[in-house]
Amino acid sequence: MEVRVEREHDVDNWEEVILIYNAALKQISIKLEILNDEFQRVHKYNPIEHIKSRIKTSESIVKKLRRYGYESTITNMVNKVNDIAGIRVICSFTSDIHRIADMISRQADIRILGVKDYLKEPKENGYKSYHLLVSVPVYLSNRIVDTKVEIQIRTVAMDFWASLEHKIHYKFEGNAPAHIEAELTECAKMVSELDNKMLSLNNEILSLEEEN
């Protein structure tokens, strides 16, 4: 399955589209690295453990377009699919998540298009994460292309759980046995408890350091 290539507006072929999305990912990644370095210098602490980035495959894009009833064209891909370019920001503690989101939102050339807070309202299966849909300008030789990037911010524990959930979802094509789904949901509760305990322990350590 492939996205049908046609000349439309800012993008005229598949290779250029991928170049633009890759450029957007690089810009966001560099911004996050700089913010992390600056945070380390000022606060002696790194809120970001690591960063992962990816471009959605053409097969996944086509499946998503068809699922929503759209033709698999470049135009629909750019306009209708928001997570073609994705960055996952992994942090240590839940308190880091909104701190990182706030630092991103204060960047002058990043425009926030949407927010999905799965921390306040987890999915039914227990999925937790904080999603930002942003637009970043990509400067080409002859024009500027505002490009969408989805940023997911979550703790190490949340990411571990989400990676397993993703594998199970694709292994069983969304129809995993009921007992596996139940155990996965139970694991999500354990992850949430672990995150809370780790945050509490870290806060106590910081408090003791201040006293000394």
Side-chain angles (χ1 to χ4, degrees):
M1 289 187 290
E2 293 183 355
V3 175
R4 192 167 72 244
V5 174
E6 58 184 28
R7 187 174 185 86
E8 287 283 349
H9 306 299
D10 289 338
V11 287
D12 57 9
N13 57 56
W14 172 253
E15 289 78 16
E16 185 174 70
V17 168
I18 297 305
L19 180 150
I20 291 169
Y21 279 112
N22 272 313
L25 285 179
K26 287 178 183 177
Q27 288 195 82
I28 298 290
S29 295
I30 290 171
K31 285 176 179 293
L32 288 167
E33 288 171 8
I34 291 171
L35 287 169
N36 205 37
D37 290 344
E38 190 262 349
F39 207 88
Q40 169 65 31
R41 187 185 70 81
V42 175
H43 302 286
K44 310 303 179 188
Y45 168 67
N46 288 334
I48 299 173
E49 288 286 337
H50 56 274
I51 301 167
K52 302 175 185 177
S53 63
R54 65 101 182 98
I55 297 289
K56 213 173 186 68
T57 65
S58 59
E59 183 177 8
S60 294
I61 294 169
V62 169
K63 283 182 178 179
K64 194 159 193 175
L65 286 171
R66 288 181 177 176
R67 189 161 68 245
Y68 291 108
Y70 298 114
E71 287 187 77
S72 54
T73 65
I74 292 279
T75 304
N76 284 338
M77 167 186 150
V78 172
N79 294 331
K80 305 299 183 181
V81 183
N82 292 329
D83 61 345
I84 293 173
I87 286 188
R88 192 173 302 152
V89 184
I90 314 302
C91 53
S92 297
F93 306 105
T94 52
S95 58
D96 295 325
I97 295 176
H98 287 98
R99 179 181 292 122
I100 294 167
D102 186 55
M103 289 193 295
I104 293 170
S105 66
R106 289 202 302 266
Q107 295 285 301
D109 58 348
I110 291 181
R111 186 160 53 98
I112 305 298
L113 302 177
V115 176
K116 290 183 180 178
D117 190 345
Y118 295 114
L119 303 177
K120 286 184 178 179
E121 296 183 13
K123 293 184 179 180
E124 285 188 15
N125 63 1
Y127 174 85
K128 283 188 173 183
S129 188
Y130 191 88
H131 294 194
L132 287 171
L133 178 62
V134 306
S135 175
V136 61
V138 172
Y139 294 84
L140 301 178
S141 60
N142 59 349
R143 66 190 186 281
I144 300 170
V145 182
D146 288 325
T147 308
K148 290 180 289 188
V149 176
E150 183 187 66
I151 305 173
Q152 299 178 354
I153 312 170
R154 59 177 70 141
T155 65
V156 175
M158 290 176 193
D159 189 56
F160 181 37
W161 182 92
S163 295
L164 179 58
E165 190 273 341
H166 183 77
K167 290 176 183 176
I168 290 172
H169 178 81
Y170 279 92
K171 177 72 174 179
F172 296 100
E173 298 183 345
N175 295 301
H179 72 280
I180 291 180
E181 293 283 7
E183 288 188 27
L184 192 63
T185 301
E186 186 62 29
C187 285
K189 295 176 183 177
M190 295 167 65
V191 165
S192 184
E193 291 173 2
L194 176 62
D195 271 332
N196 290 335
K197 288 181 179 179
M198 294 294 282
L199 177 60
S200 177
L201 180 60
N202 185 62
N203 288 339
E204 185 176 349
I205 292 170
L206 293 175
S207 179
L208 290 171
E209 286 179 348
E210 289 178 2
E211 289 178 6
N212 294 331

